[in-house]
Amino acid sequence: MGEFELIERYFKRPSRQAAVGIGDDCAIWTPRPGYQLAFSADMLVEGRHFLPTVNPQLLGHKALAVNLSDLAACGATPRAFLLSLSLPRADEAWLSGFSQGLLALADAQACELIGGDTTQGPLNIAITVMGETPLGQAILRRTAQAGDDVYVSGHLGDARLALEVFRGNLNVPQAVFEVARARMEKPTPRTALGASLRGIASAMADVSDGLLGDLGHILKASGVGAQLSLQQLSGLMLTRDDWDCPRECGLRWVLSGGDDYELVFTASPNAQHAVEAAALSTGTRVTRIGRVTEDPHLLLVDDNGDVVPHDFRSFDHFA
Ligand code: ADP
Ligand code: MG
């Protein structure tokens, strides 16, 4: 199977919203008046972001999901994406699984594959997504204000739990592992929640490298700090009540585990009801975990309001 047959067979679909999709030198997109386009790119490298044994269908899902998570973080509605693939060989079983997982999520999110690049080489998946927001309504990192509440969507820490089991560092009951593994291998991008927080959240980011680091980006960009409640954080792991998770581990993974693809955002206390309504209407769990402070530090406080020292760090590829 040649390169063009491969593209035709596994990736080409009739274009829907694109003026021109796959097949010409460029895809052509007509922007809607009154909207801005949001772009983001994320690359998945074998051995770095996924294990060589991963199911290709799940990998296809995840490759797009991590990109959609960035659109969600800006409150952008997904529209289209480009796929750049480097493959060691044209393995039909792999391509079929990968494209199914990828395109199923693309269809579910109405995000159309409009082009890309295909080359032979080490397995590497690079996706560029494009979304849209009404003019001036993208939710950025730099606009959090002292006094805002801090919220996080969904659950945190479970993907890291699965990774530790895969690495052989931990044993947990099989049912717990399955739940955690689904969180790691099949993350749900929070695009509906992200878009419904336009005009409500004051700042937002997605949690990909770990809560402390990703919230840290918002705080730094906004010139503020935050106090997070240990009590609220300790309830964020999905699997927490299903096994005897060492408290220290659970908290470490919630704060710095990574691979969660949830949203962390800030909103004025006046917007609390609007936040709750957005959570309800999109069927997404949202938890208030703390408050933005003028003091530019990120502190953890216990039930008594006392500061708890910690040494948790988020993931950094070059640290
Ligand atoms: P060029 O040679 O101009 O770089 P290609 O021959 O690589 O273009 O690609 C031909 C068409 O197929 C283009 O429309 C391109 O966007 C599309 N394409 C290539 N690889 C992929 C892929 N992995 N997924 C989707 N579309 C792709
Ligand atoms: Mg060309």
Side-chain angles (χ1 to χ4, degrees), residues 98-155:
F98 177 82
S99 62
Q100 275 173 34
L102 178 89
L103 296 176
L105 180 61
D107 288 348
Q109 299 263 340
C111 189
E112 173 173 347
L113 178 56
I114 58 171
D117 195 22
T118 306
T119 167
Q120 202 253 325
L123 184 55
N124 189 340
I125 304 153
I127 288 181
T128 302
V129 279
M130 181 189 76
E132 62 178 16
T133 61
L135 205 59
Q137 287 193 38
I139 306 170
L140 306 180
R141 295 178 173 184
R142 59 180 185 234
T143 37
Q145 298 212 349
D148 285 351
D149 290 318
V150 180
Y151 297 89
V152 69
S153 70
H155 296 92

Side-chain angles (χ1 to χ4, degrees), residues 174-199:
Q174 189 64 21
V176 169
F177 175 60
E178 292 304 333
V179 171
R181 179 181 185 167
R183 290 281 303 159
M184 179 177 110
E185 292 185 336
K186 207 166 181 213
T188 307
R190 303 298 188 187
T191 43
L193 177 68
S196 72
L197 288 170
R198 294 196 291 246

Side-chain angles (χ1 to χ4, degrees), residues 164-242:
E164 295 297 331
V165 175
F166 271 118
R167 283 176 171 166
N169 297 337
L170 191 73
N171 268 311
V172 300
Q174 189 64 21
V176 169
F177 175 60
E178 292 304 333
V179 171
R181 179 181 185 167
R183 290 281 303 159
M184 179 177 110
E185 292 185 336
K186 207 166 181 213
T188 307
R190 303 298 188 187
T191 43
L193 177 68
S196 72
L197 288 170
R198 294 196 291 246
I200 298 170
S202 54
M204 186 150 65
D206 70 323
V207 182
S208 52
D209 295 332
L211 175 66
L212 286 187
D214 291 313
L215 173 58
H217 295 315
I218 292 180
L219 302 178
K220 188 166 178 221
S222 303
V224 292
Q227 286 198 357
L228 301 185
S229 145
L230 272 187
Q231 199 199 345
Q232 297 291 355
L233 292 166
S234 67
L236 285 174
M237 259 180 91
L238 179 59
T239 56
R240 187 184 73 123
D241 296 330
D242 304 336

